[in-house]
Amino acid sequence: MARVILKRERKRRLEQGSPWVFRTEVDRVDGEIRPGDVVEVVNHQGHFLAKGYVNPASQIFVRVLTYNREEPIDREWAGRRVDAALAWRKRFLPGVRSCRLIYGEADFLPGLIVDRFGDVLVVQVLSLGMERLWAMIRDVLVDRLRPAGILLRNDVPVREKEGLPLGVQLAYGEVPPLVEVEENGLTFLVDVWKGQKTGYFFDQRENRLAIAPLVEGAEVLDCFSHTGAFAVHALRFGARSVLCVDQSAEALRLAEENVARNGFGGRAQFLCANAFDQLRALVEEGRKFDVVILDPPAFAKSRQALPGAIRGYKEINLRGMKLVREGGFLVTASCSWHMHRDLFLDTLTDAAVDAKKILRLVELRGAAKDHPVIHGSEESNYLKFAILEVRDRG
Ligand code: SAH
């Protein structure tokens, strides 16, 4: 097995829990490597640190698969990893049949996402090394869960960076066009074939419950509503009405369906529009809401995109604050990991200054427990979710 020797001068990122070895941290490689091979990572003194798969074409040179030198990367390894991921969900989400089952690096299966929708599994294989391990892991998933079907949603642009083809493919059994999930006692239809990412965003499960104390009798704006998960929760917790805004007509069609199937038809409106334009228009019309929810996609997909992203977050939050009635609430999220928690909070402060608002922080939250966070790995700690009371200043 080839050995990747790290530089003497480097941050001890791997020792801190980061599952990635960047090319800039590598001093040299002993032996032949082919893309996707399992290699040993050692420090500058030759001490073993980890084993992982290598991709010489990527900035992320090695992704860690095990910290145990004696552990072969074989079917038993895959079984232990899947069992550990299942045990985590069983402990922290007892009885939940729809959730993120495997969250890549944070479940020590780098480059693999598995979302479970009852007896259907939807999978993203995000790296070359994982592509080579996938068949083995699929067999373990079939053995442990006996799913009706497994769908590969490999239509993800990051695969191109790894030199992998894009596409959607049935990997096992059968998968219907729409699947139903239950969340917090509510039901949602999910388009696992064509919907965004794997079709549903499980990371906000617990945050959707956190809006309960805000929305009784409220007029709510659910901006970036996607298939209506926040809207349906708001209605369940007693909101008088919800306005859903999203630029995807397909997502809004499902949102409407989801509102109706939970028994809240007639209490929601759906607007297919660009949120930036729509927020501006609502401010100009003088509209007010008791609660404004902003759950945008990641504006900063890379560090280079960060300045533009900060402007974007500031703009939507500034407008969102202006739309909140005195003493109402802004519920605002960012899922860009480049936008670190403090930077996000500072951006909210900037927006409040310009909007002439005073904010009181009710809660600052992260992702749901099926999205574990590896301490020391910023990438896995991506979701920020703030609940703020909004008051006028002058
Ligand atoms: N709140 C949702 C998830 C939002 S995902 C939930 O709980 O499920 C982000 C959503 O923003 C997607 O549905 C996408 O269609 C929408 N979107 C992205 N850019 C947008 C824009 N500029 N204007 C309006 N919607 C946008």
Side-chain angles (χ1 to χ4, degrees):
M1 187 179 294
R3 296 198 327 158
V4 172
I5 297 126
L6 302 187
K7 289 178 181 164
R8 177 197 285 269
E9 304 303 327
R10 64 178 171 97
K11 275 204 214 149
R12 295 179 12 126
R13 290 171 28 84
L14 191 141
E15 292 89 330
Q16 287 169 355
S18 170
W20 293 349
V21 174
F22 287 98
R23 201 179 339 178
T24 51
E25 298 175 294
V26 174
D27 183 46
R28 59 183 200 280
V29 178
D30 264 358
E32 286 281 303
I33 48 170
R34 282 169 308 146
D37 281 354
V38 175
V39 297
E40 272 191 18
V41 180
V42 302
N43 75 4
H44 64 281
Q45 294 167 313
H47 291 307
F48 174 86
L49 293 173
K51 281 195 284 191
Y53 60 72
V54 68
N55 186 350
S58 167
Q59 283 301 323
I60 305 170
F61 198 76
V62 182
R63 300 189 196 217
V64 173
L65 293 165
T66 178
Y67 296 101
N68 179 354
R69 187 176 205 167
E70 314 309 327
E71 185 176 35
I73 303 306
D74 56 12
R75 175 145 175 171
E76 281 66 44
W77 162 84
R80 284 189 295 275
R81 285 289 188 265
V82 169
D83 289 343
L86 290 171
W88 177 281
R89 276 74 188 167
K90 202 171 161 204
R91 179 188 296 274
F92 293 114
L93 291 89
V96 170
R97 293 193 69 246
S98 296
C99 65
R100 177 146 295 184
L101 211 63
I102 293 175
Y103 182 35
E105 278 73 351
D107 281 302
F108 308 106
L109 286 165
L112 181 68
I113 302 290
V114 180
D115 279 351
R116 178 181 188 184
F117 300 90
D119 56 5
V120 167
L121 303 180
V122 182
V123 176
Q124 293 180 318
V125 178
L126 303 172
S127 63
L128 177 73
M130 187 46 71
E131 184 97 343
R132 280 178 53 178
L133 298 169
W134 160 241
M136 200 163 74
I137 296 169
R138 183 200 54 206
D139 291 348
V140 172
L141 288 169
V142 169
D143 177 65
R144 301 299 198 270
L145 296 164
R146 303 274 158 216
I150 303 180
L151 184 66
L152 278 172
R153 281 297 304 270
N154 282 341
D155 50 336
V156 211
V158 293
R159 280 175 62 92
E160 272 173 359
K161 286 195 196 162
E162 294 274 324
L164 296 169
L166 307 192
V168 179
Q169 213 186 323
L170 193 63
Y172 177 81
E174 280 175 33
V175 173
L178 294 177
V179 300
E180 194 186 72
V181 305
E182 198 196 294
E183 181 177 85
N184 302 323
L186 300 161
T187 61
F188 296 90
L189 279 181
V190 177
D191 183 346
V192 290
W193 286 84
K194 296 200 285 307
Q196 296 175 37
K197 307 274 179 76
T198 61
Y200 193 76
F201 297 96
F202 287 121
D203 54 356
Q204 299 276 30
R205 177 192 309 101
E206 294 155 23
N207 297 335
R208 293 179 184 123
L209 288 179
I211 66 169
L214 319 176
V215 296
E216 174 84 56
E219 272 184 88
V220 177
L221 172 63
D222 180 10
C223 202
F224 307 96
S225 66
H226 191 236
T227 50
F230 275 104
V232 171
H233 279 77
L235 292 164
R236 162 73 183 76
F237 298 134
R240 182 146 41 102
S241 66
V242 181
L243 174 60
C244 292
V245 176
D246 201 285
Q247 70 180 9
S248 159
E250 299 78 40
L252 282 179
R253 257 198 298 281
L254 275 181
E256 189 161 5
E257 170 89 31
N258 287 328
V259 166
R261 67 192 288 110
N262 287 284
F264 307 120
R267 279 161 64 192
Q269 282 185 303
F270 305 89
L271 212 61
C272 188
N274 181 312
F276 285 83
D277 300 338
Q278 196 55 48
L279 287 166
R280 187 181 312 118
L282 289 167
V283 171
E284 278 165 13
E285 287 166 23
R287 282 287 297 274
K288 293 284 179 190
F289 298 87
D290 302 297
V291 177
V292 171
I293 301 169
L294 301 173
D295 183 20
F299 289 160
K301 294 217 165 65
S302 66
R303 197 167 316 160
Q304 293 83 321
L306 193 55
I310 294 171
R311 283 194 295 279
Y313 286 115
K314 181 174 172 188
E315 176 169 339
I316 59 168
N317 280 287
L318 188 152
R319 296 191 198 288
M321 286 171 200
K322 286 187 174 173
L323 290 171
V324 175
R325 277 197 187 99
E326 172 70 1
F329 295 92
L330 176 70
V331 177
T332 182
S334 164
C335 60
S336 311
W337 68 264
H338 294 283
M339 188 86 184
H340 295 164
R341 183 165 290 226
D342 290 346
L343 182 54
F344 182 57
L345 293 176
D346 288 348
T347 305
L348 295 177
T349 308
D350 282 353
V353 169
D354 289 6
K356 293 202 170 137
K357 301 288 181 186
I358 298 291
L359 305 175
R360 280 207 292 183
L361 182 64
V362 179
E363 253 190 296
L364 182 59
R365 305 173 54 91
K369 294 195 184 64
D370 47 351
H371 295 64
V373 174
I374 293 200
H375 192 68
S377 160
E378 268 165 13
E379 301 80 29
S380 63
N381 193 9
Y382 66 101
L383 186 64
K384 284 77 57 187
F385 181 89
I387 300 179
L388 301 146
E389 185 204 44
V390 183
R391 294 193 165 273
D392 289 337
R393 173 174 63 78

